[in-house]
Amino acid sequence: PPTSEACNLAAPDFVHWTREAVRESRFMLAPAIEDAQAPPVTAGEHVTGGTSMLRAQAICPAWAYYQYRLGAGKLEEPLEGLDSRQRGTFLHEALRHFWEAVKSSDQLQVLTPPDRQQAVEQAVDIALSAHDADPKKQPLKPRLRQLERERLCRLIHGWLEVEAKREQPFVVLHTEKETKPDIEGLQVRMSVDRIDQLDDGSLLVIDYKTGAAIDTKNWSSDRLTEPQLPIYASIVVSPEGPVEGVVFAKVLLKEPGWAGLSHQDKVLPKVLGLDSKAARKLFPQDRFPDWSNVMDHWNKCIRSVARGVQAGEAGVRCQDDKGLRYCDVMPLLRLAERQTQWEAAVAAAFEPVVSHAQSLAESPSQ
């Protein structure tokens, strides 16, 4: 260990790296630079992430830049069994195979209970077998496969009870529709879970959700922090025909159901028609006179976010920390450091006022 004399000799050169030292600028860590601007997307550059990338850009541009353009991410956590993403993938695949076989509400209604049971089990088995046959994936152990098979069959049976109660007949046009639209120069790869066609020819865009938390309140804002369904409706599906509504299918064991927004009321239970009182609180009449204005709003907002990606907007800008709940690059955002910088800037802005007040307090009264 160093002697006390060595410590004394080193003491004058020792710098305390404290928050107060940074505030008082007793030393310079590095030259100050503007880090809110990244290089613009170049011609031919591939930006990954699809709708998740656009969502991250809307919430915090730095998140989208670090994760989807620079490729940063968090370390995978070891897990015994399956994670929620894998389970969600199995559900999507099983439902896709089910609706490829049972193509409409009419066919669903004529299935006897044994026939429905067989159709569900067959769809689940196809999904699980496809996973096991993939050389890039670890095959499921027999006991884990059996448990997952039982879970999926029970979950899908419960969900089909919800589908069977729909009042309007429907035909399933597409399941897991792969598409890669050009949005302001960005090739955004995405997959639409399902598109139904109703009796009048209009289309219903459906996204499966296996989590309870669903936010549709931001759909009327200028920054769509949940842009997935608006993107599908206004950019991907609308060229195929009139979109009647965008809905989340909450495929849950407890309280399965629907959530979303539609042109007309009573398209689906719990889905708000645009002219309903609850919907008009979010979409006021003066801003959104009719359904076409909602679609135009979504289209413009999404394209605005895409232009931000294209231009290299990469600043740390987040209106609500809750939006960063699933951010994989939180340490890179340096939120605590930025809070310190903000406090220092506020203090510097008010320093002349404080100094003037102190001088008045110290001067003899007039």
Side-chain angles (χ1 to χ4, degrees):
T3 63
S4 58
E5 182 179 356
C7 290
N8 289 334
L9 290 174
D13 297 325
F14 180 75
V15 177
H16 292 278
W17 292 55
T18 64
R19 179 171 176 170
E20 288 71 21
V22 175
R23 282 179 170 174
E24 296 174 14
S25 300
R26 291 207 296 264
F27 63 91
M28 182 64 73
L29 293 177
I33 61 172
E34 176 59 52
D35 64 350
Q37 180 61 48
V41 177
T42 59
E45 179 182 347
H46 176 59
V47 181
T48 64
T51 57
S52 296
M53 178 271 296
L54 293 175
R55 177 178 181 271
Q57 181 76 17
I59 295 173
C60 178
W63 173 7
Y65 176 64
Y66 293 142
Q67 183 166 343
Y68 297 105
R69 290 190 65 191
L70 295 185
K74 66 179 182 180
L75 294 175
E76 294 292 334
E77 297 181 4
L79 180 68
E80 183 71 24
L82 300 171
D83 60 24
S84 58
R85 180 179 300 179
Q86 290 172 311
R87 287 196 167 107
T89 300
F90 285 146
L91 177 66
H92 279 68
E93 285 300 300
L95 285 170
R96 175 170 74 88
H97 291 297
F98 177 85
W99 288 114
E100 284 177 353
V102 181
K103 300 179 182 297
S104 68
S105 56
D106 288 343
Q107 291 189 36
L108 178 64
Q109 294 292 348
V110 300
L111 286 178
T112 64
D115 288 340
R116 184 188 294 187
Q117 173 81 16
Q118 182 179 358
V120 169
E121 291 179 353
Q122 184 175 1
V124 169
D125 287 337
I126 293 173
L128 295 177
S129 296
H131 173 274
D132 290 346
D134 190 336
K136 298 179 181 179
K137 297 176 181 177
Q138 182 83 22
L140 297 178
K141 295 180 180 179
R143 179 56 178 162
L144 181 58
R145 179 190 172 104
Q146 181 61 31
L147 290 173
E148 186 61 18
R149 184 178 190 271
E150 293 174 1
R151 184 191 75 90
L152 288 169
C153 288
R154 185 167 66 252
L155 194 59
I156 294 174
H157 273 300
W159 177 247
L160 292 178
E161 292 297 325
V162 176
E163 295 268 16
K165 294 176 182 177
R166 290 173 59 173
E167 295 183 3
Q168 295 192 35
F170 62 89
V171 174
V172 179
L173 286 185
H174 302 287
T175 58
E176 304 299 327
K177 178 181 173 64
E178 297 284 345
T179 182
K180 194 176 182 181
D182 182 293
I183 306 177
E184 298 299 313
L186 294 178
Q187 298 292 322
V188 183
R189 187 185 302 276
M190 59 187 68
S191 176
V192 185
D193 289 354
R194 190 167 130 200
I195 303 172
D196 286 2
Q197 186 175 53
L198 305 180
D199 260 3
D200 61 0
S202 62
L203 306 176
L204 198 63
V205 186
I206 298 173
D207 188 66
Y208 296 124
K209 287 292 182 184
T210 55
I214 292 175
D215 179 21
T216 59
K217 294 181 180 179
N218 71 91
W219 284 352
S220 61
S221 68
D222 291 332
R223 300 288 291 186
L224 297 179
T225 55
E226 289 291 346
Q228 189 171 12
L229 278 174
I231 291 173
Y232 295 162
S234 64
I235 293 178
V236 177
V237 179
S238 57
E240 294 191 26
V243 175
E244 174 59 30
V246 291
V247 296
F248 290 111
K250 299 188 292 183
V251 187
L252 307 169
L253 289 176
K254 293 183 178 180
E255 299 183 7
W258 307 95
L261 183 72
S262 62
H263 179 197
Q264 303 292 333
D265 202 6
K266 298 181 180 180
V267 171
L268 287 170
K270 301 296 180 70
V271 172
L272 301 177
L274 179 61
D275 289 329
S276 66
K277 183 180 294 186
R280 282 304 180 188
K281 290 181 180 179
L282 300 175
F283 296 87
Q285 183 78 36
D286 57 341
R287 287 186 58 204
F288 305 97
D290 56 36
W291 182 248
S292 63
N293 297 110
V294 175
M295 298 288 285
D296 289 343
H297 167 74
W298 288 343
N299 192 299
K300 291 176 182 176
C301 289
I302 292 158
R303 293 187 180 281
S304 175
V305 171
R307 284 194 295 271
V309 176
Q310 187 77 26
E313 291 181 10
V316 178
R317 184 179 66 245
C318 182
Q319 295 181 352
D320 188 349
D321 289 349
K322 293 180 181 178
L324 298 172
R325 180 171 43 191
Y326 300 110
C327 178
D328 287 348
V329 293
M330 279 284 285
L332 299 179
L333 303 184
R334 309 191 314 276
L335 297 181
E337 177 187 333
R338 292 175 186 276
Q339 177 67 19
T340 300
Q341 293 172 345
W342 180 82
E343 291 172 0
V346 171
F350 280 94
E351 185 175 356
V353 178
V354 174
S355 298
H356 180 64
Q358 288 176 342
S359 64
L360 291 177
E362 295 170 357
S363 63
S365 63
Q366 301 296 326

